[in-house]
Amino acid sequence: MSSAVSENEATPAPAPTLLATAPGRTLSRSQRAFVLAGYASASAVAVGALGDLPARPYVLFWLIGLAFLASWRNPHPLARIVFDWLPVLVIAAGYDLVRSRAVDLIPRATTEPQLRVDEFLFGGVVPTIRLQNALVDRGTPHWWDYPVWVMYLSHFVVTPVIALWLYVRHRDWFHRYALLIL
């Protein structure tokens, strides 16, 4: 029995990297340039046909589409980061789109039945009105307004901070978290 190890056994196989892709799964620079030029051309034709530049929420979705096409099947590490964060960006753009349409949606909102049930259940005055009358002085903030305001703002900060921490520390958890945000 020989103690010599053959050359194939001595060289371990390289460990798979995070960005490992199957052969043929990436786009070449020329293919990517062609796809992006087609996207830009189709966008220019659409803007020309509409005759006006789209509003900000639609521009955000256009930019997300551009980011998707630029990072899809792209082995560059920065492209991977952009691609991983696309679900979170879609939610942010969707929120902006819905918020921009709120003026059109409020008149069509059905609130009368809920209001009448609250008045019936709580003696003629809606509980939120009682609460506002008890706690709010127009133009005069109280001490409790500040912690409530900070708590309200926290959902704009806490979700992205947790997402960033997960992305840096636990990439597999981040993907599940991004789906949860969706």
Side-chain angles (χ1 to χ4, degrees), residues 101-120:
R101 302 292 308 214
V103 174
D104 299 332
L105 297 174
I106 289 174
R108 296 186 300 190
T110 304
T111 58
E112 200 66 31
Q114 298 90 332
L115 184 62
R116 298 299 159 241
V117 168
D118 281 352
E119 288 173 345
F120 173 76

Side-chain angles (χ1 to χ4, degrees), residues 136-170:
V136 176
D137 292 329
R138 301 283 179 223
T140 307
H142 297 285
W143 69 267
W144 59 79
D145 292 326
Y146 297 104
V148 170
W149 175 69
V150 168
M151 186 170 40
Y152 165 73
L153 289 180
S154 71
H155 82 278
F156 292 108
V157 176
V158 172
T159 300
V161 166
I162 290 173
L164 182 62
W165 178 78
L166 287 173
Y167 191 77
V168 171
R169 300 292 298 198
H170 303 283

Side-chain angles (χ1 to χ4, degrees), residues 2-140:
S2 171
S3 63
V5 177
S6 72
E7 189 175 314
N8 290 340
E9 292 174 1
T11 308
T17 64
L18 184 62
L19 298 177
T21 56
R25 299 284 299 176
T26 61
L27 296 178
S28 68
R29 284 187 178 185
S30 60
Q31 289 172 321
R32 188 168 317 285
F34 179 76
V35 168
L36 293 174
Y39 185 73
S41 299
S43 300
V45 168
V47 167
L50 293 173
D52 196 12
L53 291 176
R56 183 189 71 227
Y58 301 104
V59 172
L60 289 176
F61 277 108
W62 180 85
L63 288 171
I64 288 171
L66 183 66
F68 171 79
L69 292 175
S71 61
W72 180 61
R73 292 189 176 181
N74 190 339
H76 194 277
L78 182 59
R80 174 60 186 248
I81 292 170
V82 170
F83 196 78
D84 286 345
W85 281 86
L86 280 176
V88 177
L89 296 176
V90 167
I91 289 300
Y95 174 81
D96 191 48
L97 177 64
V98 170
R99 191 176 54 84
S100 72
R101 302 292 308 214
V103 174
D104 299 332
L105 297 174
I106 289 174
R108 296 186 300 190
T110 304
T111 58
E112 200 66 31
Q114 298 90 332
L115 184 62
R116 298 299 159 241
V117 168
D118 281 352
E119 288 173 345
F120 173 76
L121 291 175
F122 296 98
V125 180
V126 180
T128 54
I129 300 296
R130 282 190 185 150
L131 191 61
Q132 288 174 6
N133 289 338
L135 298 177
V136 176
D137 292 329
R138 301 283 179 223
T140 307

